[in-house]
């Protein structure tokens, strides 16, 4: 090895789940790179927090960063318009949240990347060599945490690291991200049992977005079929993404908090209600239809998308004061 190659280098890591998780397959490489730069800047905010400097922290939403589009465009050697488009993608995929503070610019809250579903075959992964067995992964994480723990004397850092550990108990494994998983290899693994676990796995992944009553309706409509439940869950998020894209296509709405809230299940209670009504209507159509439905997939997508669009419009028009022109623009944007 040449002498100059021994000089320590610095890298910006890119989360492998951005490539392996099917949820992010349509996310552009530019958006993935922007997210990685944001994550790198986030470490600075985290460092300040550990030093009890709360400049980049608010009690309601946690840590955030500041990063001007112009600065990021210069770093990546692209136009500011490209950065705006990449940020729009990250907003649509729930990887960032942007809040306009007026005086200090835009706060950017960097969200976690969703882990790749464990039920995917390695052939379905873009980078299968990163799929590590659970036991091996657990031991490596514990080992890595121990190394990091030695480097942190701050009590807050230790608590944060400890909260991510996997705690093993006699017959179960508890994971803070996925909950309790049976650990007894002697337990009979029947097809019915595996099907129930698979269905539960879907519910676990979307529990923070889709309410329990809505998921119950999905299971009833899908007759508890894993494939159909997965289809309806994927269709809901596909429809939601289109509604969000249509709504935020107007640049002046992109960073306004109320428009971001309108497309989130966590803040817009009408979304769950709209989904539930759409699912019930779909069930009625499928049950009563005398003629064969040409495309159940297309029919489901249209009903779910329109239900989400109407719920988004209702949230905005019922809760905020807009001019007549703005109300017209919102109505037009959400008319499919």
């Amino acid at each position: 090895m040449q002498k100059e190659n021994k000089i320590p280098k610095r890298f910006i890591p890119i989360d492998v789940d951005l490539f392996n998780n099917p949820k992010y397959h349509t996310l552009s490489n530019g958006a993935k790179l922007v997210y990685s730069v944001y994550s790198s800047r986030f470490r600075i905010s985290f460092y300040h927090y550990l030093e009890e400097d709360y400049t980049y922290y608010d009690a309601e939403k946690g840590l955030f960063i500041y990063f001007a589009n112009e600065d990021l465009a210069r770093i990546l050697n692209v136009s500011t318009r490209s950065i705006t488009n990449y940020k729009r993608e990250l907003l649509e995929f729930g990887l960032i949240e942007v809040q306009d503070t007026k005086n200090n610019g835009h706060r950017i809250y960097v969200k976690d990347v969703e882990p790749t579903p464990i039920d995917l075959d390695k052939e379905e992964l873009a980078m299968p060599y990163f799929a590590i067995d659970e036991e091996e992964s657990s031991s490596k994480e514990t080992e890595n945490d121990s190394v990091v723990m030695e480097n942190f004397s701050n009590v807050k850092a230790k608590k944060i690291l400890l909260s991510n550990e996997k705690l093993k108990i006699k017959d179960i494994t508890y994971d803070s991200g996925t909950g309790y998983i049976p650990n007894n290899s002697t337990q009979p693994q029947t097809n019915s049992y595996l099907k129930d676990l698979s269905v539960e796995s879907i519910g676990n992944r979307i529990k923070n977005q889709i309410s329990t009553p809505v998921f119950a309706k999905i299971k009833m409509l899908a007759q508890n079929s894993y494939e159909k439940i997965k289809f309806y869950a994927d269709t809901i998020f596909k429809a939601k993404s289109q509604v969000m894209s249509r709504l935020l296509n107007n640049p002046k709405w992109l960073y306004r908090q109320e428009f971001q809230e309108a497309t989130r299940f966590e803040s817009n209670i009408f979304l769950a209600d709209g989904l539930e009504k759409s699912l019930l209507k779909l069930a009625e159509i499928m049950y009563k239809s005398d003629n064969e439905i040409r495309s159940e997939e297309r029919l489901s997508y249209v009903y779910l998308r329109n239900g989400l669009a109407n719920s988004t419009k209702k949230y905005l028009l019922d809760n905020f004061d807009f001019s007549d022109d703005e109300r017209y623009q919102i109505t037009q944007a959400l008319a499919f």
Side-chain angles (χ1 to χ4, degrees):
M1 181 182 291
Q2 297 178 359
K3 182 178 180 180
E4 57 270 22
N5 289 340
K6 295 182 180 180
I7 299 174
K9 292 181 172 57
R10 296 183 179 182
F11 301 92
I12 295 177
I14 299 180
D15 196 315
V16 174
D17 286 316
L18 289 175
F19 299 99
N20 275 345
N21 191 338
K23 176 178 179 178
Y24 305 115
H25 280 180
T26 57
L27 187 67
S28 71
N29 288 332
K32 292 172 183 175
L33 183 56
V34 168
Y35 177 83
S36 302
V37 175
Y38 284 159
S39 297
S40 181
R41 174 66 67 88
F42 179 83
R43 293 170 180 264
I44 299 175
S45 298
F46 182 64
Y47 171 79
H48 282 281
Y49 179 81
L50 294 180
E51 294 299 315
E52 300 190 0
D53 175 356
Y54 304 118
T55 304
Y56 305 101
Y57 173 81
D58 72 62
E60 182 181 354
K61 296 183 180 178
L63 293 165
F64 58 87
I65 65 172
Y66 290 117
F67 215 128
N69 286 2
E70 294 77 12
D71 293 339
L72 192 52
R74 177 178 53 81
I75 292 171
L76 301 182
N77 195 27
V78 297
S79 66
T80 54
R81 183 171 183 175
S82 294
I83 298 299
T84 300
N85 291 334
Y86 295 146
K87 288 174 73 173
R88 183 183 287 114
E89 286 186 66
L90 296 176
L91 282 165
E92 291 176 0
F93 280 84
L95 289 170
I96 63 169
E97 181 178 335
V98 179
Q99 181 179 358
D100 186 1
T101 61
K102 294 183 179 179
N103 296 329
N104 295 323
H106 296 123
R107 286 181 178 179
I108 300 172
Y109 297 85
V110 183
K111 305 297 184 179
D112 290 336
V113 176
E114 287 188 20
T116 303
I118 59 176
D119 54 357
L120 291 180
D121 294 332
K122 287 190 176 182
E123 291 74 15
E124 300 180 66
L125 305 178
M127 304 175 76
Y129 35 84
F130 276 98
I132 304 173
D133 290 339
E134 189 69 21
E135 185 176 348
E136 180 184 354
S137 174
S138 177
S139 63
K140 286 189 176 182
E141 286 175 5
T142 305
E143 179 183 343
N144 291 337
D145 285 349
S146 299
V147 173
V148 178
M149 288 283 284
E150 291 177 2
N151 296 328
F152 278 112
S153 58
N154 191 292
V155 175
K156 289 194 180 90
K158 290 183 179 180
K159 286 183 178 178
I160 291 171
L161 289 171
L162 285 171
S163 68
N164 293 328
E165 286 186 356
K166 296 182 178 181
L167 308 174
K168 291 194 174 180
I169 309 175
K170 184 177 180 181
D171 292 324
I172 59 174
T173 299
Y174 177 74
D175 186 311
S176 59
T178 57
Y180 289 98
I181 304 172
N183 196 27
N184 187 351
S185 59
T186 61
Q187 188 171 0
Q189 302 292 316
T190 63
N191 288 335
S192 176
Y193 175 74
L194 289 176
K195 183 188 75 171
D196 291 343
L197 277 183
S198 299
V199 170
E200 184 180 344
S201 173
I202 298 176
N204 215 21
R205 291 202 300 272
I206 63 178
K207 65 181 179 182
N208 293 329
Q209 288 82 35
I210 296 180
S211 66
T212 301
V214 169
F215 189 61
K217 297 293 187 303
I218 291 175
K219 290 199 292 184
M220 291 173 63
L221 187 59
Q223 300 179 43
N224 220 36
S225 161
Y226 169 82
E227 290 75 16
K228 284 195 172 184
I229 290 173
K230 187 175 186 302
F231 159 74
Y232 281 113
D234 291 344
T235 301
I236 286 172
F237 285 104
K238 178 182 175 183
K240 176 177 173 291
S241 177
Q242 186 178 5
V243 170
M244 186 174 186
S245 178
R246 178 75 71 86
L247 180 65
L248 299 182
N249 193 43
N250 188 327
K252 71 177 183 179
W253 296 342
L254 181 59
Y255 301 124
R256 286 178 60 173
Q257 188 68 25
E258 59 266 36
F259 286 91
Q260 294 182 38
E261 290 175 354
T263 55
R264 293 200 182 98
F265 290 105
E266 299 89 342
S267 49
N268 183 356
I269 60 174
F270 298 127
L271 289 177
D273 183 60
L275 276 180
E276 198 165 357
K277 289 179 180 176
S278 297
L279 291 166
L280 288 172
K281 186 64 178 176
L282 278 172
E284 183 181 4
I285 292 173
M286 292 177 187
Y287 177 73
K288 288 187 173 181
S289 178
D290 295 328
N291 302 320
E292 182 179 354
I293 298 173
R294 288 188 178 182
S295 174
E296 182 180 329
E297 292 79 7
R298 178 62 184 169
L299 177 70
S300 300
Y301 175 74
V302 169
Y303 260 90
L304 293 171
R305 181 199 62 194
N306 292 350
L308 288 169
N310 290 332
S311 299
T312 300
K313 181 174 69 174
K314 179 176 176 59
Y315 177 85
L316 288 169
L317 300 185
D318 286 5
N319 290 288
F320 303 98
D321 291 327
F322 296 105
S323 66
D324 290 342
D325 183 56
E326 286 178 318
R327 294 173 72 89
Y328 173 77
Q329 289 182 42
I330 291 170
T331 301
Q332 287 296 104
L334 295 175
F336 287 93

